[in-house]
């Protein structure tokens, strides 16, 4: 009997909440902060940000190649974990955009890569359309 791999749900950073805890997600955003000591990055899109643990998927050599520049587009796939305690948030530089980050959520990435060719606006529109279709389908089923 073959085992099926759980697919990752493409998710906008604006949609991430504790209701996605323990789910496998695919997220994208702009690199805002990289902490080599803790192997954690923070990605953002607009006002929304997310902590991403990259310890399982980035070697020191690869890190140096594309994590040196802030505002690099990043795509990550992993499991969202909720913590009862606040996770340590990085101190951002004074010119960093103001973002909202939930200090209780972190994506434990199994894949992370630069996504320099990703059109973030298109990514967000496509996922929003998928979310709207799913909510419409749920509403239609509730009416039946």
């Amino acid at each position: 009997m073959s085992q099926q791999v759980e697919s990752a749900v493409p998710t906008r950073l604006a949609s991430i909440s504790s209701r996605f805890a323990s789910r496998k997600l695919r997220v994208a955003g702009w690199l805002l902060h990289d902490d080599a000591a803790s192997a954690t990055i923070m990605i953002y899109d607009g006002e929304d940000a997310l902590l991403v643990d990259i310890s399982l998927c980035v070697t020191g050599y690869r890190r140096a190649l594309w994590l040196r520049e802030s505002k690099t587009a990043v795509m990550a796939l992993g499991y969202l974990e909720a913590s009862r305690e606040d996770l340590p948030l990085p101190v951002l530089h004074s010119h960093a955009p103001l973002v909202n980050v939930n200090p209780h959520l972190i994506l434990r990435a199994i894949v992370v890569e630069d996504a320099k060719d990703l059109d973030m606006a298109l990514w967000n529109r496509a996922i929003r359309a998928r979310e709207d279709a799913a909510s419409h389908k749920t509403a239609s089923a509730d009416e039946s």
Side-chain angles (χ1 to χ4, degrees):
M1 175 182 259
S2 67
Q3 292 182 334
Q4 289 204 341
V5 176
E6 178 188 3
S7 62
V9 178
T11 308
R12 296 180 301 130
L13 294 182
S15 300
I16 291 179
S17 69
S18 58
R19 68 186 167 103
F20 287 108
S22 302
R23 300 223 13 224
K24 191 176 188 182
L25 305 179
R26 180 180 299 270
V27 298
W30 304 102
L31 181 63
L32 183 59
H33 182 78
D34 172 30
D35 183 352
S38 67
T40 303
I41 62 173
M42 182 184 287
I43 60 173
Y44 79 101
D45 185 32
E47 296 178 350
D48 303 294
L50 178 66
L51 292 171
V52 181
D53 174 355
I54 59 173
S55 61
L56 296 176
C57 49
V58 177
T59 65
Y61 173 73
R62 207 157 157 219
R63 170 188 299 273
L65 293 178
W66 62 272
L67 284 177
R68 289 186 180 183
E69 296 181 35
S70 63
K71 297 192 179 180
T72 297
V74 175
M75 183 168 289
L77 181 144
Y79 290 91
L80 189 69
E81 289 186 6
S83 171
R84 289 188 176 144
E85 311 234 344
D86 284 357
L87 299 164
L89 295 178
V91 176
L92 302 175
H93 59 81
S94 61
H95 299 293
L98 296 176
V99 295
N100 300 314
V101 60
N102 186 330
H104 297 278
L105 297 177
I106 189 166
L107 186 77
R108 302 287 180 194
I110 53 179
V111 175
V112 65
E113 58 191 12
D114 66 331
K116 62 184 172 194
D117 295 329
L118 180 66
D119 180 335
M120 286 295 296
L122 181 59
W123 167 266
N124 286 319
R125 279 195 314 271
I127 295 172
R128 189 175 302 118
R130 183 176 190 227
E131 292 169 347
D132 291 347
S135 66
H136 178 71
K137 186 176 180 180
T138 302
S140 296
D142 290 344
E143 292 175 1
S144 299

